[in-house]
Amino acid sequence: MSKSDNLLRLEHVSKNFDLKGRGEVNAVRDVSLTVKSGEIVGIVGESGCGKSTLARLITCIEPVTCGQIFFDVREISSFRGKELRAYRKQVQMIFQDPSNVFSPRMKIGTFLMEPWRNFEHTSRPEAMRLAVEALKNVNLDEDYLKKYPHQLSGGELQRISIARAVALHPKLLICDEATSALDVSTQSQIINLLKDNHKKSEYSILMISHDLALAENFCDRIAVMYLGSIVEILPGRGLRKNARHPYTKALLDSVFSVHGDPEKKIRILTGEPPSPVNVPAGCAFCGRCPYGDSKCERETPQLKNIDFQHQVACHKEELPR
Amino acid sequence: MIQYIAKRLVQLIAVLFGVTFLTFMITQAAPSDAAQMQYISMGTIPSEELLEQTREEMGLNDPVLVQYGRWLWNVLHGDLGTSTKFSESVLTQMSRKLPMTIELAAVSGVIMVLIAFPLGILSAVKKNKWIDYLIRFLSFFGISMPNFWLGLLLMYVFAVRLGWFHVVSTNDIAGIVLPVATLTIPMVCTYVRQIRAAVLEELNSNYVVGARSRGISERRIIFGHVLPNALLPIVTLIGLSVGHLLGGAAIIETLFSWQGIGNMVVEAIRVRDYPLIQGYVIWMAVIYVMVNLLVDIMYRLLDPQIRLRKKVD
Amino acid sequence: GTQGTENTAVSEESSAEENGSEAADAGDTGEKHVNVAFFWITPTLDPAVDYQGWVTCRLGVGEALVKLNDDLEVEGCVADSWENIDDTTWEFHIRDGITFSNGTPVTAEAAKASLERAIEMNDRAAEYLKVDMIEADDQTLTITTTEPNAALLNNLVEPVFCIIDTTQSEESIETAPIGTGPYVISSFSPEQTVELVKNDTYWDGEPGLDTITVTQIADADARTMALQSGEVDITNTIDNTSVTLFTNNSDYNVSSIISPRVNVAYMNNAQSSPLHDIELRKAISYGVNREAYAELIGGSVAHSAYSDATPFGNDTITAYTYDPEQAVEILDAAGYVDVDGDGYRELPDGSGMNLRYLQAADHGSADSAILATAVQSDLKEIGIQVEIFSVENLTEYQTEGNFDFYTGNDNSAPTGDPQIWLETMYTDLGTSGKSNLTGFQNDRIDEIIEEMDTAFDPEERYALAAEASQILNDEAANLFLTNSYLNMVSVAKVKNAIQPVADFYFITKDITVE
Amino acid sequence: MNVLEFQDISVIYQNGKTAVHNVSFTVPEHSIVAVVGESGSGKSTLIRAAMGLLSTGGSVSQGRILFEGENLLGFSKEQIRSIRGSEMAMIFQDAGDYLNPRRKIGPQYIETIRCHIQVSKKEAGQIALDMLSRLKLADPERIMRSYPFQLSGGMRQRAAIAMAMSMHPKLLLADEPTSALDVTVQAQVVQEMLKLREDMGTAIVIVTHNMGVASRMADYIAVMKNGYLREFGARDQVINAPRDEYTQQMLMAVPELEDEQIVKIR
Amino acid sequence: MGQASEEKGAVIHRYKEWKRHGRKALLKPAMTKKGKWLRFIIFAILALAVLFIAFLGPVLAPYDPLATDYGASLSPPSPEHWFGTDNVGRDVLSRILYGAGNSFSLTFIMVAAVSVIGTLIGMVSGYFGGILDTIIMRFTDILLAFPDTVFAIAVVGMIGPGLLNTILALSLVWWTKYARLTRGLASVMRSKDFIIQAKFGGVKTPGILFRYILPNVLPQVVVTMTLDIGGMMLSLAGLSFLGLASQPPTPEWGYMLYEGKSYLQTAPWIMLFAGLAIFITVLVFNLLGDSLRDILDPKEE
Ligand SMILES: Nc1ncnc2c1ncn2[C@@H]1O[C@H](COP(=O)(O)OP(=O)(O)OP(=O)(O)O)[C@@H](O)[C@H]1O
Ligand SMILES: Nc1ncnc2c1ncn2[C@@H]1O[C@H](COP(=O)(O)OP(=O)(O)OP(=O)(O)O)[C@@H](O)[C@H]1O
Ligand SMILES: [Mg+2]
Ligand SMILES: [Mg+2]
Ligand code: NI
């Protein structure tokens, strides 16, 4: 395994939030995952399953409770000060709601120049020039430099975020539901922008989403999360065909297709995900799983390779497709 | 619940310790110590040796912590020391003044609630009608008025000119009307705005839209949903301001010669009666503790979200 | 008390037309009642403690062996006659048939017990009498002093020596001491109110009222307004400006006299202060316009440490008159000139001079503040810079000696005798020089005080006092500014509410209502 | 017969913004109409106008809204109140938000019922429980005893639907009832609503972002943009042969799973 | 302490604000933007007028505020002395005009000092959180529980009266208000996406504090400051009225009230005009702060 092969490697990463006397939230549980250079990896799962937390762990915004995260072979939890800043220069993030990402009282120009000014110590005029260029890169003109965030639409703001994120050529871009706050048409523009950009420069993308269809369209590999842990990692293409884990299947069944047959019976998964507070041992999905048995209740299934680029965490590997 | 109260009590006792320690330390920082004060209260200038001897007798040369410990020990045994001004035990002094302050606080509190609530609700419900504008306009006046000035004007008009009420505190209606009015007018003005805001906040929340969509009548919405919910912040605040009132409205009490604790502390400060000031601060700390506890309990009782959080998770 | 409440109700109804001076009527009962406001009621009423006796005495409850009349001369009271047997022996005859208000006869034995209790409990009492021994025989009380004490007779008027029934329990002495006065305490709430009823067995005739409610109103303005609102019928020590509200008003009686109190701006004679220089003090003495002050706050111009109300020698004393030119001359001559051109003079050595004037409010009266402001303003005229510090705890600053001036409104003859005052304020002699805060020192004054110990003839004492006064003036020891007025104001119904000169008296048997 | 009919409706807000421009469409009996469009296009405004629940400062500036042939805009406050909740009901995106957070579901439910029919509390409670069990909610008694925040989002939404349905209204207006829910739960709610129509014949107007949901549920689809109605038509026509350019664009932009895309291409 | 006390703390804080100024009507009439600005401009002009008078007081005053004239003491308002004279014959109008300067400069200094200190502490405490934050917040909790003036009085009582001490005492209580305000805002902002985003832009901690957090708390701080001018002025006047703050003969409004109190009946103009001066000023600044809030408060949007 050469260095350039694995850009990011998560090993048994867990994150608990202490609720001060009211238990612990097991937001991320024993997650192992790798992202190769240039690869686009999707993480899908329902709300509250720990996707954002995972992103925050990777970006050192929250410390891990246990486990290790390697970036280019270096363990990131020890990063402080300068190192941390250097790391963040290589790992950039795009957030779900663009309107939260901008300081309401800072002009777009200042916002855009920030990376050059801080990381490269570029002079103001030079940074300005680079900012204009970055704007062009996302199909916006330089008028935007003088505007305030509230004067722009969500789509425009998200483009500006992207412009800034890719400005210093990061190695990894994390998109935390980067499009879910936007309208479908804006969403597809942004996705296309990301795709184009990714083609041009060779960074990896960790794409967090709850939209399976979107992930399928965009990602090389997809990790499905349920209640803090990864239940299945499968190739991006042909989800319906490949899905093995009962939860992944249930997810796929819940998606309403625009062009699907309206008379088709809806197959629903009963119940709702349990609370992430003090998650018991055993398969987390067990309670809602049609195939769950006593073993599932007792033992936590581990991710196992079952195919090329395909891992499943389920005791019932032999289940029909 | 009981467990919770116990837990809070322990925390609050810690606060009490903190406050007493702080006061004790501030007193230490004062320019003259207890020995000097003793002579000063007798109107004499002691010689250095005499002072030193007295200090030794009074234990003022011990380490501060020892002194604090001793003082606290006494306090815990109900001995708050002797007021230098009145040469009388602080406890007696305070137990004499407290009922007066409590009386004033209670009457003012009740009257304030009785006036502020209807006005505040009216103002909110009639938002942007002329009555709302009037109430809010007047409330600005009440808030901007120096209350001692108001008190003097009231005193002049209603006691001196009209002779309806008393200038000096007495326990009857004629005596209490003016101090209560002076105290409540600014308070009512602030509360009216607060109640209005709280009610409006509730009125603007989604559950009101929800209730309307279910066809529930406006009256029911206001009296059955909005008011009880608006009560939580308001009741808390009222509890707190009663706490403040119990601390004594120093200026008003002084103005109306009301023999309460606020008046007492102003006088004590004038004459540097440290034991009395300390006694007062302890009283304030006790009020703080009580009010805090009450507010917390109230919160738990009134807000199911907090009361039941444990069960939810 | 119920009485007070009833009256209030009456006044409330009638107030619309008549401004409530009805209070004294006491409705249908025909009982004679008045409401009185004191500026001070003590936590207890035990006359032997601190200055609490003053309140007991003002209430008309306690009486001493002897009392002061309005010429500040000693008159008989519980004792009807006395004799100075020799330099150290005094013999008093207790009035025959006099009883405490509870009916117990006042014997010499009872008086002795009362005096001894006071001496034991109060340092001031011991100081005043210097008693060696007290003997009682039937109605004759003999006091022997340790040294000649010519001031003893006068000092016995001090309310600390109120004769009370010491057979009472200590607790009841605190709340309701039994004295021989015209009124008896029926209820007491500390620092608030005292209810009095008349003493039916009073030795000096029938008291004019049946019941009295005395309330503490500390603030002078509040007392004024309470009088106007009809809450009280009699009060005293209200500000001079407020008195104008009642004079020329037939609804009220005003009784106004010059008091033994003198408004003084004490000057720091000690080395630490620039005022150590007598030339500077003289210049300042010339620079203040006392006449204007007397006009401003009411009162008369003070000539010396002793008020015009006292019998000792004011007209013989040459005092300073307002003469700014003279002041300027003195200052120039002594080298106090304005070198830096800021309008204020510097010290002869060229360093800045900014005099600290400590001002403290006295019983809520504004007079001291007005005087301070006026002195400051006048001294500015002759180029002396004064900075005023309003302080509440004057004593603290005094003890530190950190002042140039401080205010005082002091009774220089509390017992109608000049000695005590001179001794405490102007000498460092013996143990008594406790309050000599200004660092004044003069050999002749020290001698005068010693002479006074044995000067049993009042005229002689007065002469000595006058001499001392002159010395204080010559030395420009302090700024004796004005003699205050004492006022007592009562509503028209009340008769004989006269302000006594000695201000530890207030309620007398003569006060009555129509 | 049409349950609801928008006739040339315009809505204007106090700040001068016209949020809905001349919108007309009808909701036939027993039908489901989905209103789709990008955010801010006036979807919520439109259905709130029908309920008379426009947020502060909003008013219908023109047009008529006919409910069973009668103009709602001409109703008195009391009239409109009495049909709200009984004849026409509404559910919102986050049901929890639209219930009083400090009162239990039960009392609020009972209160609603008793606002419309004269029954005792007990009877009302029974009606409520019936409705809840009818919607296959596990443990209806517990739901009645719970505060809104004690229930999960899906439960709350379904409880809200139950509340809305207990008077058997002719029309249910749903403002993004599934947007706040997880996909798996969303499927449950969609199914529930479809069943409602089948069982009770309630006409439903559902506002949604999700074209998939609209396509699955609706008989008719209304597409809005910037306050204008761009297209209104039967589901098959709008999905498969959109006439409006914007509709076409939008449908193109919706990502689809691979196997469904095949359908699309075909 | 859990959320209960956090929330309660917030409520208490709001209460304090209300109590001091009582203008926290969260929801204003739905005024148009223009109306809001108009209101603000009117009050701003009024406030400027008051300030103008305050700073030009010495020029406008017809007399020396310290010049005594015993002969003319306590003379009622007249063409020579518009507002009459006081007990030593000083011109009340001149004293009020000079006093404006004193009252204002004091109030401004105090408000400025207190807000800077409080904001800094609050920002740091809110952004970093942790034990320091806990301590600061408990401390402010306790201070919040004391009646403001009484606490200041108590502190003055212990360290001695005087203007400087009074300012110190008031500041000691008052900074907590700003600390609480900014702490609340900062601790919410801390986990906001835009702060995290700033880290991705390589901004260092001071940069985050001063370039990201500060500009966003500033409007609220400014509103509070404007409202505080009134509150502070009242508190100061209250302490002066108890004779604990200003020293004679400095013309200062609170002290003038204190001096004038004895002449309530014989020379009511002293109190009347001094009181009116305070009242009008406080009113103007309250209204200004209120209208400023309308403009700056994002809640309104
Ligand atoms: N700071 C925190 N303290 C306590 N619990 C937290 C904290 N942050 C997240 N959680 C909890 O951890 C779990 C995972 O949250 P996370 O935000 O990672 O979910 P998510 O998958 O991103 O959800 P969504 O799709 O809604 O964004 C949730 O139950 C959440 O409540
Ligand atoms: N109370 C209001 N005052 C002023 N403008 C409003 C108000 N409510 C909504 N608007 C405006 O009206 C327009 C339509 O809003 P509406 O909420 O109906 O859109 P929507 O289609 O429901 O959007 P979303 O999908 O985001 O819910 C928007 O531009 C909005 O800004
Ligand atoms: Mg997330
Ligand atoms: Mg909407
Ligand atoms: Ni399983």
Side-chain angles (χ1 to χ4, degrees), chain A residues 52 55-56 59-62 88 91-95 100-102 111 119 164 176, chain E residues 127 188-203 208 212-213:
Chain A
S52 301
R56 293 162 82 91
T59 51
C60 274
I61 291 164
E62 299 273 0
R88 291 223 177 108
V91 178
Q92 290 283 325
M93 186 151 158
I94 295 169
F95 294 82
N100 287 341
V101 165
F102 293 81
F111 173 81
F119 286 125
R164 189 174 109 162
D176 186 0
Chain E
Y127 181 69
V188 171
M189 247 178 256
R190 169 164 83 127
S191 50
K192 276 268 168 70
D193 289 347
F194 75 88
I195 297 294
I196 299 172
Q197 182 67 284
K199 291 181 183 166
F200 284 104
V203 185
I208 290 182
Y212 283 79
I213 294 183

Side-chain angles (χ1 to χ4, degrees), chain C residues 173-349:
Chain C
I173 293 182
E174 282 184 3
T175 56
I178 303 286
T180 60
Y183 292 97
V184 183
I185 295 160
S186 64
S187 88
F188 167 60
S189 55
E191 297 171 70
Q192 284 179 33
T193 50
V194 185
E195 302 284 347
L196 300 171
V197 297
K198 100 173 140 189
N199 176 6
D200 290 320
T201 62
Y202 187 53
W203 58 271
D204 195 16
E206 163 135 20
L209 296 165
D210 296 308
T211 54
I212 304 177
T213 305
V214 182
T215 316
Q216 164 173 300
I217 305 180
D219 184 69
D221 306 316
R223 284 196 299 278
T224 309
M225 289 194 272
L227 196 61
Q228 290 176 303
S229 74
E231 285 158 62
V232 301
D233 305 312
I234 313 174
T235 192
N236 70 351
T237 48
I238 61 183
D239 274 346
N240 201 53
T241 33
S242 305
V243 173
T244 54
L245 294 167
F246 304 109
T247 47
N248 308 324
N249 184 337
S250 57
D251 290 337
Y252 300 95
N253 311 313
V254 178
S255 156
S256 190
I257 51 138
I258 300 258
S259 87
R261 283 186 187 271
V262 182
N263 278 306
V264 193
Y266 288 99
M267 293 195 278
N268 196 346
N269 288 237
Q271 197 73 46
S272 59
S273 165
L275 297 178
H276 177 67
D277 183 2
I278 185 171
E279 294 303 312
L280 182 56
R281 295 205 302 270
K282 274 187 178 156
I284 288 172
S285 301
Y286 279 118
V288 293
N289 189 349
R290 292 157 223 258
E291 281 83 11
Y293 304 168
E295 190 105 333
L296 212 52
I297 64 167
S300 64
V301 175
H303 298 100
S304 77
Y306 297 114
S307 153
D308 284 356
T310 60
F312 3 102
N314 287 309
D315 29 14
T316 61
I317 292 165
T318 42
Y320 293 90
T321 49
Y322 182 48
D323 190 351
E325 281 94 45
Q326 177 88 24
V328 166
E329 225 165 85
I330 295 174
L331 288 171
D332 287 341
Y336 294 90
V337 285
D338 181 11
V339 277
D340 60 7
D342 62 351
Y344 290 113
R345 294 166 192 272
E346 275 70 49
L347 290 172
D349 67 7

Side-chain angles (χ1 to χ4, degrees), chain A residues 60-227:
Chain A
C60 274
I61 291 164
E62 299 273 0
V64 294
T65 307
C66 62
Q68 289 171 308
I69 301 176
F70 295 92
F71 183 80
D72 256 2
V73 308
R74 293 192 59 194
E75 218 280 300
I76 65 163
S77 65
S78 59
F79 288 172
R80 293 281 177 282
K82 251 203 180 117
E83 274 178 321
L84 185 60
R85 293 203 319 130
Y87 171 62
R88 291 223 177 108
K89 189 181 152 192
Q90 299 177 49
V91 178
Q92 290 283 325
M93 186 151 158
I94 295 169
F95 294 82
Q96 171 169 11
D97 188 350
S99 57
N100 287 341
V101 165
F102 293 81
S103 171
R105 281 161 227 280
M106 185 178 270
K107 285 192 179 145
I108 301 300
T110 323
F111 173 81
L112 263 180
M113 290 182 323
E114 210 75 274
W116 287 288
R117 301 279 292 151
N118 294 317
F119 286 125
E120 317 261 277
H121 304 288
T122 320
S123 70
R124 244 190 104 80
E126 176 66 7
M128 185 78 88
R129 195 185 60 74
L130 289 165
V132 173
E133 225 165 75
L135 271 181
K136 290 220 177 89
N137 200 21
V138 292
N139 309 326
L140 296 172
D141 58 47
E142 58 185 288
D143 293 349
Y144 284 87
L145 289 181
K146 287 188 211 69
K147 294 194 175 170
Y148 281 101
H150 64 86
Q151 296 170 304
L152 306 184
S153 73
E156 287 165 327
L157 290 176
Q158 201 62 301
R159 279 159 196 250
I160 292 165
S161 306
I162 293 172
R164 189 174 109 162
V166 301
L168 290 182
H169 312 291
K171 290 189 175 158
L172 176 65
L173 186 64
I174 298 174
C175 304
D176 186 0
E177 313 231 13
T179 59
S180 59
L182 306 174
D183 293 319
V184 268
S185 37
T186 325
Q187 166 172 316
S188 72
Q189 288 168 18
I190 296 289
I191 291 293
N192 289 332
L193 185 72
L194 277 173
K195 270 184 185 160
D196 291 350
N197 229 298
H198 179 251
K199 261 180 221 145
K200 273 187 255 169
S201 37
E202 285 287 286
Y203 49 77
S204 314
I205 297 181
L206 192 66
M207 159 93 180
I208 293 172
S209 174
H210 59 245
D211 189 336
L212 286 166
L214 184 69
E216 188 183 37
N217 277 323
F218 190 67
C219 303
D220 300 329
R221 273 193 305 143
I222 291 172
V224 181
M225 275 183 87
Y226 186 73
L227 207 67

Side-chain angles (χ1 to χ4, degrees), chain D residues 39-40 42-45 48 93 175-176 207 209:
Chain D
S39 104
K43 307 183 294 291
S44 306
T45 305
R48 276 167 169 247
Q93 175 165 354
D175 191 355
E176 313 212 15
V207 167
H209 272 125

Side-chain angles (χ1 to χ4, degrees), chain D residues 219-234:
Chain D
D219 304 321
Y220 301 93
I221 295 180
V223 184
M224 289 188 70
K225 185 175 198 294
N226 286 340
Y228 291 95
L229 182 69
R230 298 297 289 255
E231 181 155 9
F232 180 78

Side-chain angles (χ1 to χ4, degrees), chain B residues 9-304:
Chain B
L9 271 179
V10 172
Q11 278 173 350
L12 294 173
I13 285 169
V15 169
L16 263 179
F17 269 102
V19 173
T20 52
F21 185 68
L22 217 69
T23 7
F24 191 81
M25 294 317 278
I26 296 179
T27 326
Q28 293 292 309
S32 18
D33 66 18
Q36 275 168 310
M37 288 312 297
Q38 195 180 35
Y39 285 103
I40 285 168
S41 74
M42 299 191 297
T44 55
I45 309 170
S47 65
E48 246 334 289
E49 300 89 67
L50 194 60
L51 208 57
E52 199 45 45
Q53 189 193 333
T54 322
R55 282 196 183 121
E56 195 59 47
E57 278 165 22
M58 296 172 83
L60 295 180
N61 291 336
D62 297 342
V64 178
L65 275 181
V66 175
Q67 289 186 46
Y68 173 65
R70 187 164 46 221
W71 177 74
L72 196 65
W73 179 252
N74 289 338
V75 169
L76 290 177
H77 287 76
D79 175 10
L80 289 164
T82 308
S83 149
T84 45
K85 160 127 198 263
F86 300 103
S87 31
E88 187 187 23
S89 122
V90 170
L91 212 60
T92 337
Q93 266 283 321
M94 300 222 339
S95 56
R96 191 154 69 233
K97 305 280 160 106
L98 274 180
M100 293 295 282
T101 291
I102 291 172
E103 181 186 335
L104 191 61
V107 175
S108 305
V110 168
I111 293 200
M112 183 203 68
V113 166
L114 287 183
I115 300 175
F117 261 82
L119 286 185
I121 294 166
L122 188 71
S123 184
V125 173
K126 300 269 175 206
K127 188 181 157 196
N128 293 344
K129 304 270 162 55
W130 67 267
I131 183 92
D132 175 37
Y133 283 121
L134 184 74
I135 290 172
R136 288 193 301 144
F137 183 69
L138 288 182
S139 72
F140 262 109
F141 273 69
I143 293 155
S144 307
M145 194 104 66
N147 60 354
F148 44 90
W149 192 57
L150 175 69
L152 277 169
L153 295 183
L154 290 179
M155 201 191 248
Y156 180 69
V157 173
F158 291 101
V160 176
R161 285 280 124 215
L162 300 173
W164 292 353
F165 306 117
H166 286 180
V167 174
V168 174
S169 72
T170 42
N171 269 323
D172 49 27
I173 295 194
I176 204 169
V177 165
L178 289 182
V180 165
T182 316
L183 261 179
T184 41
I185 286 175
M187 267 170 53
V188 163
C189 290
T190 46
Y191 273 103
V192 162
R193 314 190 114 242
Q194 235 167 297
I195 291 166
R196 175 181 185 272
V199 171
L200 273 186
E201 201 166 49
E202 293 297 327
L203 265 177
N204 274 25
S205 49
N206 280 337
Y207 73 80
V208 172
V209 177
R212 285 190 186 134
S213 82
R214 281 179 274 128
I216 293 166
S217 69
E218 240 7 64
R219 268 189 54 149
R220 254 203 97 82
I221 291 176
I222 287 172
F223 290 100
H225 294 262
V226 169
L227 283 190
N229 286 4
L231 221 55
L232 178 67
I234 295 170
V235 166
T236 323
L237 298 179
I238 286 176
L240 201 85
S241 69
V242 168
H244 277 196
L245 282 174
L246 286 177
I251 296 180
I252 307 296
E253 285 188 4
T254 312
L255 195 64
F256 288 95
S257 321
W258 190 267
Q259 292 300 317
I261 199 123
N263 198 346
M264 178 199 83
V265 74
V266 170
E267 190 55 32
I269 285 164
R270 289 216 167 116
V271 298
R272 295 300 127 85
D273 195 335
Y274 292 124
L276 212 51
I277 300 178
Q278 279 171 340
Y280 173 77
V281 175
I282 290 177
W283 162 247
M284 279 313 299
V286 169
I287 291 184
Y288 168 74
V289 164
M290 304 297 282
V291 168
N292 239 307
L293 190 65
L294 272 177
V295 165
D296 279 359
I297 291 174
M298 215 129 70
Y299 244 95
R300 307 219 124 209
L301 290 181
L302 287 177
D303 194 344

